[in-house]
Amino acid sequence: MLGLMQDWPLLIHRVIDHAASQFGVQEVVSRSIEGPTHRTTYSAVRARALKVAQRLARDGIREGDRVATLAWNTWRHLESWYGITGIGAVYHTVNPRLFPEQIAWIVNHAADRVVMTDLTFVPLLEALADKLPTVERYVVFTDAAHMPATKLKNAVAYEDWLDETDGDFRWASIDERSAAGLCYTSGTTGHPKGVLYSHRSNVLHSMSLCNPDGLALASRGVILPVVPLFHANSWSIAFSAPMMGSKLVMPGMKLDGASLYQMMEEEKVTMAAGVPTVWLMLLQYMEKEKKRLSTVKRMVIGGSACPRAMIVAFERDHGIEVFHAWGMTEMSPVGSFGAVKAQFADLTGEALYDLKMKQGFAMFGVDMKITDDSGKRLPWDGKTFGRLKVSGFAVTRGYYGLEDQNILDDEGFFDTGDVATIDAAGYMQITDRSKDVIKSGGEWISSIDLENLAVGHPDVAEAAVIGVAHPRWDERPLLIVVAKEGRPVDRDSVLKFMEGKIAKWWMPDDVQVVGEIPHTATGKINKLRLREDFRDYHFPGA
Ligand code: ADP
């Protein structure tokens, strides 16, 4: 017997409808690409998203068509997502930090019909346009006054394009399982792979994440997503902030420490979310300028492991609570969140930081397990590590265009490619990406643990550990560090600092000091590049 409740499809437009009707006056503040700070409201975002939908429909865009966005976090980018999904089309977020050839590859793979972009990326697209045969039109997120002369096909300024509509439009009525968003993984090996979110998965994932032991969004909160809309579905914030009516502060293209600090202070931001590299820049700026954030209460950090030194700096020195989160593009993207469960409420000091170093526990809608190579489940004892696998309503079951390949195990779980432990209380801790873990004499060494420890050294700004071939041990860890500005650092002092804090056989065999550590398009340490850079390196005496 079926229940007698209404069939109310979980469509993305419901989110902006709710935001407009309940939090219509709530602000969305952006640093515009043209320069000045721009202010709008959820009610205006909805009204303009309806125009985007109407205008796309007039351009012949239909349900299921892909519309690329290659843009920073601004109100226009946000409006475009709701407009695109509002006619049943699919927003395809393109990461501008990818190599131009990769951008061309994914636009062609997705067969995008329209590209919506910022002024910043017009030259990039002009250079690529010949290689993008599926694109029929380029919409530049600006007004007539700032629109550059360009040969891009059917190029139009977004504001002019919108002005050709009256906004009298109805959202498409479609199946909640319809595709809504497409985001390609970075593809460190091989071609990038497309993850195709549905309306339902986006709505459920956002509902799950905005709760008190998650992002804890509320209408009295002010959230600044540094995490870009173009990476990993913006950690749901493009949906969860309007859903809960939080004021949304979008930093545009200025992500340096000084610009973020200024925006956080001016807009009284209470919560921010981003990857550790961004917060490293902010902390360095505040340390140098002797500044403190006066309104921020919560910092959500994820995308790569948050070093202990960063947790301590925010919590102890700035009085800001840190939440360490883990996830991946394939999970919409958040899988676990580092809130403190009731049984740990009394933890303080180092014991609390120990807990916060873990990547948290699975949120509702995510089932987790760790297994050995044969697929056998491993115990949740906080010590045994294995392959981390997940299933849930917002976890992918296949890649776009590769639907015939089964990527799930026989229990329906997706292998994340991460190696992790899970403790008795359910807290998961990433040991490493399986391809980054260092295999020494048949045992594993976590590069993340070594990096975390090394950045605790007072003169080290950033650290990366890679495995380097060793004649006897197969692989041994090489530590690569960047010194803090004006604070020279040497091999021996780093090794001395690490001694006694880890097992002896985990100690790096050498330390190399470099001017800069390469990062990926998503702001993570680029280990592939590092491994290439150090291809000819040999350990002293090995
Ligand atoms: P990309 O390959 O572009 O970085 P993702 O953002 O999807 O794509 O990366 C997901 C991966 O990032 C995870 O599988 C994991 O290895 C790593 N990761 C994400 N969050 C954390 C975290 N808090 N700690 C350690 N690793 C993390």
Side-chain angles (χ1 to χ4, degrees), residues 95 98 183-188 195 197 231-232 235 275-276 301-306 323-331 333 336 357-360 388 414 416-419 428-436 448 520-524:
N95 183 339
L98 294 173
C183 183
Y184 283 73
T185 61
S186 300
T188 36
V195 179
Y197 308 116
H231 180 220
W235 298 5
V275 295
I301 307 182
S304 48
C306 179
F323 296 86
H324 193 185
W326 165 86
M328 64 195 312
T329 306
E330 285 89 337
M331 300 182 72
S336 66
M357 290 282 294
K358 301 190 177 192
Q359 278 79 357
L388 178 61
F414 169 77
T416 63
D418 287 330
V419 175
M428 183 274 288
Q429 185 157 24
I430 300 283
T431 307
D432 231 326
R433 281 198 183 199
S434 53
K435 55 185 183 293
D436 293 337
I448 292 183
T520 65
T522 52
K524 304 179 187 185

Side-chain angles (χ1 to χ4, degrees), residues 42-54:
Y42 282 130
S43 161
V45 166
R46 175 180 182 272
R48 281 161 55 92
L50 276 164
K51 288 181 152 210
V52 174
Q54 189 178 20

